[in-house]
Amino acid sequence: VTLIEPADQLAGGEEPSLAGELASRLRAAGVDLRIGAAAARVEPTSAGTARVVLQEGPAVEADRVILAAGREPATSGLGLETLGVTAQENGALSVDDHCRVQGQEHVWAAGDVTGIAPYTHGADYQGRIVSDNLLGGCATADYTAIPRVIYTDPPLAGVGLTESQARATGLDVAVATTDLEELARSAIDGSPGGRLVLVADRKRGVLVGAGAIGIGADDWISEASVAIRGQVPVRVLADVVHPFPTNAQAYEVPLRELARQLR
């Protein structure tokens, strides 16, 4: 497998250290990574394979080519013009906090067509918001803690803001990390460990972001999701007791470090 990535790192929206760890894991598994390389064209060979010509560097020959060019909301051909609904330039429908289509009283949208949180769990969340409102409620959506997961082995997960994203919004942040190799659970399982990165807002004393790579990270990232969504003070989080031995104990050292930084 050869992975051609034109950006300067894998998983561009995640913490660089986690992306670097992911790259190391993929290379160890035999994947040829071409990071910072852009494909110029694909041409057939006489052997019936494909040759991917890069803008720089040697070409790549492959039996199969997967073009991961992203996705866009599938709103064309739905007859939205009949309702007087106009999609945005990227095809997404603009919705308010209640998931009601902007400018419409009786049109609602959930899932990929909104262009927000384009994950199955994001669509499920918006669907629950819409259902509540259709039944007479007044539910509003909050997207500050929607988890993101790349299902590699081990998975890479994130929620909230990365350090650079938080600083770009003007937040004064504190950052703490931990290496999962130091956990008793990693020693017991014989796993290669991983990494957890926590980002906190110094002013409010709460987590604003978290990222992790490691066995089960797609599950235990939820602790950070709850902390961010509920704006739980870091000093409270640092006092939480986790069962031994679990991967969730990865939170303990960086949370105590953040608590010291935020005093």
Side-chain angles (χ1 to χ4, degrees), residues 163 167 171-176 198-202 206-209 257-259 261-262:
E163 178 183 358
R167 294 190 188 281
L171 293 179
D172 179 15
V173 300
V175 180
L198 300 180
V199 182
D201 177 3
R202 289 182 183 275
V206 297
L207 288 184
V208 294
E257 172 59 28
L258 285 177
Q261 292 186 48
L262 299 178

Side-chain angles (χ1 to χ4, degrees), residues 218-237:
D218 50 333
D219 282 327
W220 47 267
I221 196 66
S222 294
E223 180 168 335
S225 297
V226 173
I228 295 169
R229 180 66 177 85
Q231 300 186 49
V232 182
V234 169
R235 58 178 176 77
V236 173
L237 296 172

Side-chain angles (χ1 to χ4, degrees), residues 13-75:
E14 304 301 333
E15 293 286 353
S17 62
L18 300 178
E21 179 72 17
L22 176 60
S24 296
R25 298 295 183 91
L26 291 175
R27 287 193 175 102
V31 177
D32 179 8
L33 296 184
R34 307 288 183 92
I35 299 176
R41 64 184 184 278
V42 180
E43 50 191 34
T45 70
S46 58
T49 59
R51 178 183 295 111
V52 182
V53 179
L54 306 182
Q55 291 181 359
E56 295 182 8
V60 177
E61 290 199 16
D63 296 319
R64 297 179 182 177
V65 176
I66 297 176
L67 178 60
R71 53 185 170 176
E72 60 183 22
T75 52

Side-chain angles (χ1 to χ4, degrees), residues 93-100 108-134 139-143 146:
L93 301 181
S94 180
V95 296
D96 61 18
D97 291 343
H98 302 283
C99 290
R100 179 188 282 110
W108 309 76
D112 289 4
V113 294
T114 67
I116 305 172
Y119 319 106
T120 301
H121 48 278
D124 178 70
Y125 175 57
Q126 290 179 317
R128 289 189 287 111
I129 296 295
V130 170
S131 296
D132 185 88
N133 289 324
L134 289 178
T140 57
D142 186 313
Y143 304 105
I146 303 293

Side-chain angles (χ1 to χ4, degrees), residues 182-207:
E182 300 174 358
L183 297 179
R185 185 55 180 260
S186 293
I188 293 170
D189 292 343
S191 71
R195 188 177 182 85
L196 171 65
V197 180
L198 300 180
V199 182
D201 177 3
R202 289 182 183 275
K203 183 177 181 180
R204 293 182 295 145
V206 297
L207 288 184

Side-chain angles (χ1 to χ4, degrees), residues 73-112:
T75 52
S76 62
L78 295 181
L80 295 175
E81 64 281 356
T82 305
L83 301 176
V85 175
T86 301
Q88 301 177 66
E89 186 175 344
N90 66 353
L93 301 181
S94 180
V95 296
D96 61 18
D97 291 343
H98 302 283
C99 290
R100 179 188 282 110
V101 175
Q102 297 282 5
Q104 300 289 325
E105 184 176 356
H106 302 296
V107 183
W108 309 76
D112 289 4

